[in-house]
Amino acid sequence: EPEVTQTPSHQVTQMGQEVILRCVPISNHLYFYWYRQILGQKVEFLVSFYNNEISEKSEIFDDQFSVERPDGSNFTLKIRSTKLEDSAMYFCASSRDIYHNEQFFGPGTRLTVL
Amino acid sequence: SQELEQSPQSLIVQEGKNLTINCTSSKTLYGLYWYKQKYGEGLIFLMMLQKGGEEKSHEKITAKLDEKKQQSSLHITASQPSHAGIYLCGALSPGDSNYQLIWGAGTKLIIKP
């Protein structure tokens, strides 16, 4: 069964460093998403992406964040200058289209900023 | 903005017993999703409900959406250790977004052998 994959599973970085989180969505899906979950808190929407551009973004998704689909399979989230408060589990998701919008999630990347 | 409230926050159930988890919205729901979260496995899609009164089942898990589309319940029959985890409801809300899911805080389910 097709699934969303994410790498790495755990990333440790120093404050101020750039990190790139990688995701491979399900191959015939057209919509891609990033969410995050700070330990002990609710899952929060960051951004959605369709047709090579951002469809929606939340207040969390400021200028320090960017997303890219560099090729036909990968979908990346970049944090330019990490802060302590960026420590969280980051989930990538994809859905087939707007009418079949069950979102399927990857296993997540745990980001720890020291 | 829309809020989703889940209850209970946590639940300890004897293996074999039935249980129900609730998700209540402050606004009419366009789509209500149930996911299960297990450490290291991300969010596992269970079911999506869109129509008032809709009910769906998968194995021993049944989810319902009320007629007013503001409350959903997830019912597990004859619980097993494999049902343990955190159950999350997520929702789309027309007018706020076409894409993003907002989430409840989750219900942690523990199954006692």
Side-chain angles (χ1 to χ4, degrees):
Chain A
E1 189 172 322
E3 58 183 19
V4 177
T5 59
Q6 289 185 244
T7 54
S9 56
H10 192 186
Q11 173 92 47
V12 181
T13 190
Q14 295 288 330
M15 190 169 56
Q17 294 296 305
E18 174 183 286
V19 294
I20 297 176
L21 310 183
R22 291 184 167 79
C23 168
V24 179
I26 295 173
S27 61
N28 64 343
H29 285 189
L30 302 178
Y31 289 81
F32 314 116
Y33 314 83
W34 283 101
Y35 291 83
R36 78 171 186 191
Q37 186 179 31
I38 295 170
L39 189 63
Q41 297 187 22
K42 289 185 180 183
V43 178
E44 300 172 292
F45 170 79
L46 293 177
V47 66
S48 61
F49 191 86
Y50 170 71
N51 200 27
N52 284 319
E53 61 183 26
I54 291 173
S55 305
E56 288 181 337
K57 59 182 181 179
S58 71
E59 293 173 353
I60 302 167
F61 195 87
D62 61 21
D63 292 345
Q64 292 300 311
F65 291 87
S66 62
V67 287
E68 197 177 34
R69 188 155 162 83
D71 52 44
S73 59
N74 290 287
F75 179 51
T76 62
L77 175 70
K78 183 193 289 186
I79 309 175
R80 286 189 184 80
S81 178
T82 50
K83 300 182 281 238
L84 295 175
E85 54 265 38
D86 293 327
S87 295
M89 183 74 92
Y90 288 80
F91 293 107
C92 171
S94 68
S95 62
R96 193 166 71 170
D97 55 47
I98 195 69
Y99 303 106
H100 302 87
N101 55 4
E102 296 94 326
Q103 294 181 22
F104 293 90
F105 283 73
T109 293
R110 180 166 294 283
L111 177 65
T112 302
V113 182
L114 303 176
Chain B
S1 62
Q2 185 172 16
E3 294 275 335
L4 290 180
E5 295 291 330
Q6 279 187 246
S7 62
Q9 283 186 317
S10 63
L11 196 52
I12 302 173
V13 172
Q14 192 75 41
E15 184 177 348
K17 297 293 186 185
N18 303 337
L19 64 107
T20 300
I21 298 168
N22 294 301
C23 177
T24 303
S25 170
S26 56
K27 293 183 182 179
T28 300
L29 296 162
Y30 174 67
L32 189 285
Y33 298 73
W34 283 101
Y35 286 84
K36 180 182 174 185
Q37 184 174 23
K38 292 183 78 170
Y39 182 79
E41 295 182 29
L43 300 172
I44 301 164
F45 173 76
L46 296 176
M47 277 171 276
M48 183 184 79
L49 305 165
Q50 285 187 301
K51 299 175 186 174
E54 187 175 9
E55 179 176 323
K56 287 186 178 178
S57 292
H58 176 67
E59 297 178 345
K60 293 185 178 180
I61 301 176
T62 301
K64 300 178 186 179
L65 183 61
D66 74 342
E67 290 290 343
K68 291 184 180 179
K69 295 170 64 174
Q70 284 192 269
Q71 185 167 15
S72 178
S73 60
L74 185 82
H75 185 77
I76 299 176
T77 305
S79 56
Q80 299 168 351
S82 61
H83 289 130
I86 299 172
Y87 289 81
L88 296 170
C89 64
L92 294 172
S93 178
D96 292 343
S97 167
N98 287 322
Y99 308 106
Q100 64 174 284
L101 290 173
I102 59 165
W103 299 88
T107 295
K108 184 175 182 180
L109 174 62
I110 297 170
I111 306 295
K112 284 197 310 183

